[in-house]
Amino acid sequence: MSSTLFRTKKVEQSILDTEEPEHALRKSLSALDLTVFGVGVIIGTGIFVLTGAVAKNNAGPAVALAFVVSGVVCALAALCYAEFASTVPVAGSAYTFSYASLGELPAWIIGWDLVLEFALGTAVVAVGWSGYIASLLDNAGWQLPEALGTREGADGFGFDILAAALVLVLTAILVVGMKLSARVTSVVVAIKVTVVLVVIIAGAFFITAGNYDPFVPEPQPVEAGRSLDAPLIQLMFGWAPSNFGVMGIFTAASVVFFAFIGFDIVATAAEETKNPQRDMPRGILGSLLICTVLYVLVSIVVTGMQHYSELSVDAPLADAFKATGHPWFAGFISFGAAVGLTTVCMILLLGQTRVFFAMSRDGLLPRFFSRVHPRFKTPHRPTILLGVLIAVLAGFTPLQELAALVNIGTLFAFVIVAISVIILRRTRPDLHRAFRTPWVPVLPIVSVLASLWLMLNLPAETWVRFAVWMAIGIVVYFLYGRSHSRLGRQQETTVKDVTRPHRGDNG
């Protein structure tokens, strides 16, 4: 049984599967397209929303250091992703990489994890977009009818039709084709980066040096409420929960990590890239570097414009300009944030559909979803299915605490990819690697430890929820995936051919 659970799929077979006409995706993306996709999904909710919350509650002006910590963890993982994406240019990202190195069950687990990560991420961003649109309309004096508005009531019950509508429109764009998606993303990313540069350049003129004092506020003990609210590492070692100080920076880093989610999605588009061996590393590493620099600069400027204790939790960038008496800038930033979140939502949805498509093509999910559209050459069936489900999720579900669940899923994927690089280097040293992760196995091991450290700084209740989702996934695998595995059936056929008596054999 263990041999079937950890059977690996050869890299050569994964690449051959992409050439089957009914499963072949159109190759239309360049290195620039990939970089734009990466920047488009990374710059979003994190920088426009989370900056204020973590500065006010966890790190103070040292939130800039939290972005550096998260960026370093992502950079370590990005080097591992770059090697895999250039060596195994197949849709599915960490799922495909794990299948080639760790085996079928670990691949299923990481695929199941990515489905959760991208679904919740898409829903969270869609709800954030809805809030910005409603706010912009309200500032312009236009009130949405109550039936069309965002959730009403303190309990969050209702239906956010704006969030649901956004997901459905983006689903239609993704069905039509990747090139159209890339063009839409390019325009929106240009707007979004312009807004971020305006914040940095214009905001620099309103910095007050006194707002940086103290840069790292003294630790402040806090009531944890329910014990599971505290970071897991504090519960493990019996530490009293606290904000600010050095531990506050690490806690903030585990939260703002959400702002970096997206560069790994570039890897899911490997199969649709013209020259993945050359362009995937450029797209992954380039987008991450650009966004890390912008994040650090924005956080330094915003905490310099307004004291961290006074920053807005909902719209820190816009409200910082309001506090300096420049509401026009605030309106411009809100518009840019709303436009920018559109691409974040679309690329998260793109990533999920590609993982789902790859799992379906391997038989671990129904193969009905692995056939591409005859005209657009896109996986239209999983795109439509997941788009509708996420639209419902975004419309109905309160999502205030789900960002942490997205973070732990991404960090878990980072751990798996780093381990996979080490294993595949040992088991398949003969593979051509257009990009090689430096200092193997040291760098991947450091990547694993760094990701685990951030995971331990997430609330214990996040670990509980994550464990429940993983348990459900394992049940689904044993009830369906294991018996329908395409690789498993191919191996069974091979065994039967070898053991079947041939004509003329005795017995």
Side-chain angles (χ1 to χ4, degrees):
M1 180 176 178
S2 61
S3 62
T4 62
L5 298 181
F6 295 96
R7 54 196 172 202
T8 57
K9 184 176 182 180
K10 290 185 177 180
V11 172
E12 294 83 355
Q13 184 60 51
S14 294
I15 296 175
L16 282 175
D17 288 348
T18 69
E19 299 174 357
E20 296 174 348
E22 68 271 25
H23 305 305
L25 300 174
R26 177 171 292 160
K27 297 181 181 295
S28 60
L29 300 179
S30 64
L32 178 60
D33 291 328
L34 294 172
T35 303
V36 170
F37 266 124
V39 174
V41 72
I42 297 173
I43 297 181
T45 305
I47 192 62
F48 288 122
V49 178
L50 293 180
T51 305
V54 296
K56 191 170 186 176
N57 300 323
N58 302 111
V63 63
L65 298 180
F67 277 115
V68 172
V69 171
S70 291
V72 169
V73 174
C74 287
L76 294 171
L79 291 169
C80 299
Y81 268 91
E83 174 171 326
F84 256 123
S86 60
T87 307
V88 193
V90 178
S93 184
Y95 159 75
T96 301
F97 308 157
S98 300
Y99 214 160
S101 55
L102 300 178
E104 186 170 282
L105 180 59
W108 166 267
I109 291 174
I110 196 63
W112 186 255
D113 163 61
L114 292 175
V115 168
L116 174 70
E117 172 199 336
F118 295 152
L120 295 183
T122 305
V124 169
V125 174
V127 173
W129 176 88
S130 173
Y132 267 107
I133 292 296
S135 176
L136 282 172
L137 294 176
D138 186 62
N139 291 339
W142 298 338
Q143 293 270 339
L144 283 173
E146 184 174 340
L148 300 179
T150 56
R151 296 186 192 90
E152 303 292 337
D155 59 357
F157 181 76
F159 188 79
D160 192 336
I161 195 169
L162 287 178
L166 173 67
V167 174
L168 293 177
V169 169
L170 296 179
T171 296
I173 292 176
L174 289 175
V175 167
V176 171
M178 282 291 290
K179 200 59 185 178
L180 174 61
S181 305
R183 290 169 181 167
V184 172
T185 302
S186 298
V187 174
V188 176
V189 167
I191 296 173
K192 185 159 49 176
V193 172
T194 299
V195 170
V196 173
L197 292 175
V198 166
V199 171
I200 295 171
I201 297 172
F205 291 96
F206 306 111
I207 290 177
T208 301
N211 288 333
Y212 294 128
D213 186 22
F215 189 74
V216 182
E218 290 293 323
Q220 298 179 7
V222 295
E223 292 292 333
R226 293 174 297 159
S227 60
L228 290 180
D229 290 344
L232 181 63
I233 193 170
Q234 293 183 349
L235 294 180
M236 290 172 61
F237 294 99
W239 298 342
S242 63
N243 287 330
F244 307 109
V246 175
M247 288 304 300
I249 294 175
F250 285 113
T251 301
S254 68
V255 176
V256 299
F257 183 81
F258 182 83
F260 287 93
I261 290 175
F263 83 82
D264 56 325
I265 294 179
V266 176
T268 68
E271 195 172 324
E272 293 158 277
T273 303
K274 296 176 183 177
N275 189 344
Q277 287 77 14
R278 180 195 67 191
D279 295 341
M280 290 306 302
R282 294 180 181 181
I284 292 173
L285 297 172
S287 58
L288 180 61
L289 176 62
I290 291 170
C291 294
T292 301
V293 172
L294 293 177
Y295 280 4
V296 172
L297 292 176
V298 166
S299 58
I300 289 174
V301 168
V302 171
T303 53
M305 292 176 64
Q306 193 174 18
H307 194 267
Y308 73 88
S309 62
E310 299 174 355
L311 282 173
S312 165
V313 173
D314 297 323
L317 276 61
D319 286 359
F321 278 95
K322 286 183 181 178
T324 60
H326 295 81
W328 183 88
F329 280 116
F332 176 70
I333 292 169
S334 295
F335 169 75
V339 173
L341 293 179
T342 305
T343 55
V344 179
C345 191
M346 180 173 71
I347 300 172
L348 284 170
L349 181 59
L350 164 73
Q352 187 191 40
T353 59
R354 270 41 180 185
V355 173
F356 197 97
F357 169 77
M359 296 174 74
S360 172
R361 187 167 56 190
D362 289 332
L364 300 181
L365 290 172
R367 286 177 59 83
F368 169 82
F369 296 106
S370 65
R371 294 188 179 276
V372 298
H373 193 281
R375 176 183 174 188
F376 302 128
K377 298 299 180 182
T378 57
H380 60 296
R381 290 171 177 172
T383 300
I384 294 171
L385 171 68
L386 295 170
V388 172
L389 291 177
I390 295 172
V392 174
L393 180 67
F396 278 116
T397 311
L399 302 170
Q400 293 86 347
E401 300 179 2
L402 293 183
L405 193 55
V406 179
N407 287 356
I408 196 172
T410 305
L411 287 165
F412 178 68
F414 286 2
V415 170
I416 297 298
V417 169
I419 294 174
S420 298
V421 166
I422 298 174
I423 292 176
L424 202 63
R425 281 283 188 97
R426 290 182 176 274
T427 58
R428 293 298 307 276
D430 57 304
L431 285 176
H432 172 67
R433 292 167 169 85
F435 178 89
R436 297 177 69 89
T437 303
W439 308 310
V440 174
V442 176
L443 188 145
I445 291 174
V446 173
S447 177
V448 170
L449 296 176
S451 297
L452 288 174
W453 175 258
L454 288 189
M455 292 172 73
L456 291 173
N457 278 276
L458 290 168
E461 61 184 357
T462 300
W463 282 81
V464 173
R465 293 170 181 167
F466 183 67
V468 170
W469 177 255
M470 290 293 101
I472 295 173
I474 291 174
V475 171
V476 173
Y477 172 75
F478 280 101
L479 291 180
Y480 182 88
R482 182 167 173 265
S483 59
H484 291 79
S485 167
R486 184 179 183 184
L487 178 61
R489 293 188 173 185
Q490 288 174 343
Q491 292 179 346
E492 289 176 3
T493 301
T494 302
V495 170
K496 290 178 180 178
D497 288 341
V498 171
T499 58
R500 181 184 297 118
H502 295 285
R503 185 173 298 173
D505 290 347
N506 293 327

